Every structure is written in structure tokens, then in C-alpha cells.
Amino acid sequence: MSDAIAKKQEILDAFQFRFATKEYDGDRKISEEDFKFILEAGRLSPSSYGLEPWKFLIIQNPDFRERLMKIATGAARQLRGASHFIIILARTDVKFDSEYIIHHIKTIQQASDESATMLLQSLESFQHRWRLFENERALLDWSSKQTYIALANMLTAAAQIGIDSTPIEGFSFDEVNSLLESEGLLDNGTFKPSVMAAFGYRKEDPIRPKTRKNLSDIVEWV
Ligand SMILES: Cc1cc2nc3c(=O)[nH]c(=O)nc-3n(C[C@H](O)[C@H](O)[C@H](O)COP(=O)(O)O)c2cc1C
């Protein structure tokens, strides 16, 4: 088999291997090196304008997990046994003229003054065209969308090294927001909870084989 064919098969095998794990083997822990690899896949993810509007909160404290279980019912079982549990936060301060955006473009992206000005103008008109100021939710949802790219990359990266995962939206936004805010984890509203993910090793294989539509049902060539 050629290298390219073998590589493609390996990647597809990882997609087949990944499933939304319901219960984790609480005795198996992900090594520090492997978990760093998963986080690195999140860090290197693309985002609109490269703004990286996310933060990865890693919830390992058992008492904190217990409190979370009560308000994140879709994660209750996973919170019990998962080796690592992440709450991905989305930034709220992503308006084109915010301090964060200006700092990010100048310091992290190292744009010259001239290109920073151009980028910010482009971002301003983009955010207007996408009607991100129409209501409070629109800008947060745009930010939150970016976090799902990091989420997906982390799930896939984990699967490629034989680590199981679960993406989780089964939580009360308001209650999780209040809990994190009361613990000082949202930097006074700079962040909001976006989506969660559990990582670890499955207790058992999935009961049913993966079901998906056929490509012909979801693809249309124009
Ligand atoms: C954004 C998102 C949120 C999800 N939330 C939950 C959840 O709260 N609890 C859960 O058990 N599964 C959750 N799932 C898992 C889906 O139900 C699962 O991915 C889907 O049924 C396809 O199955 P598979 O991932 O095993 O292939 C979520 C998936 C995604 C992508």
C-alpha cells in the first residue's frame, strides 16, 4: 500500500473509531503528553480572522465536577469517569474596536500598523455585513462558532491516538455561566461557556454501528 493510501485509511479509521462516548473507564488516565497533543490541536485551529476567541477550561477537581453534573445533565456520566474534561469558553469582547482585538492583531499576529488598520477596517465591515450587532446574541454566537472548530479538531486528534471523547451541549447555559462566573473563571463576563468535551478511555464499545447519511444525500455539485 502506498504511503498516501495508508495515511488516508488511518485517518478514516480514526473517524470510525470516534464515537460520542457515554461512559468512561475511570481507572484509565490520559498521559500528560497525549493531553498536551490534544490541546495543541485546539490551539492550532483556524478561526475567523485568526482571532482565537476561545479559552479551554480544564475541569479536573472532583468537587467541581460534582457541581457541574447537576447543571450539565448531558455530561453527568462522562463527568464521572472521563480522564479530562474541558469547558470551551467563547470570548465576548470580539467587536472590531475592542481592546482584545487590537491587542491580538498587533501583538499576537504581529501586524504592522498599516496592515492592522486595514485588517480592523475589514473586520468592521465584515461584522456589519454579518449583522453581528443586531442583537446581543449574534456576536457571542459568532465567537462561539469558532470554538466548535477547535472542538472538532481536538476530538479528531484524540481519536487518531486512540483516545475517546464526547462533545457536549447538554447543559444549562445560564446555570453553567453563573457557576463559572461565581468562581471567577469568566474574567467578569469576558468569556461565556460555549461547548464542553470529555476525553478518556471508553468503558465499552458502542452498542450500535455508526449511522450516517450517504454522501449523495448531502452533497450537491453546482
Ligand atoms: C455539539 C455537540 C453536542 C453534543 N452534546 C452531547 C451531549 O450533551 N451528551 C451526549 O451524550 N452526546 C452529545 N453529543 C453527541 C452526539 O449525539 C453524537 O455525536 C451523534 O449522535 C453522532 O454519534 P457519534 O458521535 O457517536 O458518531 C453532541 C454532539 C455534538 C457535535
Side-chain angles (χ1 to χ4, degrees):
M1 217 192 306
S2 82
D3 280 358
I5 293 174
K7 183 112 195 159
K8 282 188 268 187
Q9 193 54 52
E10 202 182 300
I11 293 169
L12 288 178
D13 287 347
F15 277 107
Q16 289 288 353
F17 166 86
R18 189 211 56 76
F19 80 110
T21 303
K22 301 300 172 206
E23 269 197 73
Y24 286 87
D25 178 348
D27 295 329
R28 292 187 67 190
K29 299 291 167 217
I30 300 171
S31 73
E32 208 179 305
E33 185 191 318
D34 284 354
F35 193 65
K36 212 169 157 195
F37 165 79
I38 293 169
L39 289 177
E40 192 65 355
R43 186 179 78 94
L44 292 175
S45 295
S47 52
S48 188
Y49 280 83
L51 296 177
E52 305 171 54
W54 47 57
K55 182 168 176 178
F56 308 130
L57 263 190
I58 303 155
I59 312 294
Q60 300 302 82
N61 180 297
D63 295 336
F64 201 92
R65 282 196 185 190
E66 281 290 332
R67 292 169 71 192
L68 205 52
M69 263 174 224
K70 298 190 180 85
I71 52 179
T73 47
R77 281 193 289 166
Q78 289 89 347
L79 274 161
R80 205 154 279 130
S83 167
H84 289 69
F85 193 91
I86 305 183
I87 303 178
I88 308 183
L89 306 178
R91 294 197 75 102
T92 57
D93 55 347
V94 289
K95 191 165 173 262
F96 64 90
D97 57 358
S98 74
E99 216 175 285
Y100 168 72
I101 298 294
I102 293 164
H103 173 269
H104 186 80
I105 286 178
K106 290 194 168 166
T107 312
I108 305 294
Q109 298 184 341
Q110 297 172 23
S112 63
D113 285 348
E114 195 187 342
S115 56
T117 304
M118 273 163 50
L119 260 171
L120 291 169
Q121 277 169 358
S122 163
L123 181 61
E124 178 176 2
S125 88
F126 167 84
Q127 292 188 330
H128 277 293
R129 270 184 280 125
W130 275 67
R131 301 191 189 150
L132 299 187
F133 309 124
E134 228 167 51
N135 58 62
E136 244 180 56
R137 198 57 203 257
L139 193 64
L140 174 64
D141 283 347
W142 177 66
S143 186
S144 183
K145 277 199 237 175
Q146 316 307 320
T147 69
Y148 280 65
I149 304 172
L151 167 77
N153 283 337
M154 288 195 276
L155 303 183
T156 303
Q160 284 184 322
I161 56 168
I163 291 175
D164 292 304
S165 62
T166 325
I168 290 159
E169 275 180 338
F171 61 92
S172 154
F173 174 86
D174 289 333
E175 287 176 289
V176 171
N177 189 56
S178 301
L179 172 67
L180 299 179
E181 193 68 91
S182 69
E183 293 294 321
L185 294 166
L186 299 179
D187 201 8
N188 291 321
T190 305
F191 295 94
K192 295 277 179 198
S194 178
V195 64
M196 303 176 176
F199 294 91
Y201 296 93
R202 64 188 74 181
K203 204 164 188 177
E204 49 199 30
D205 286 330
I207 316 157
R208 295 193 301 139
K210 203 176 269 305
T211 59
R212 288 296 188 272
K213 291 180 194 171
N214 291 318
L215 259 193
S216 58
D217 296 327
I218 55 166
V219 176
E220 185 176 349
W221 291 72
V222 180

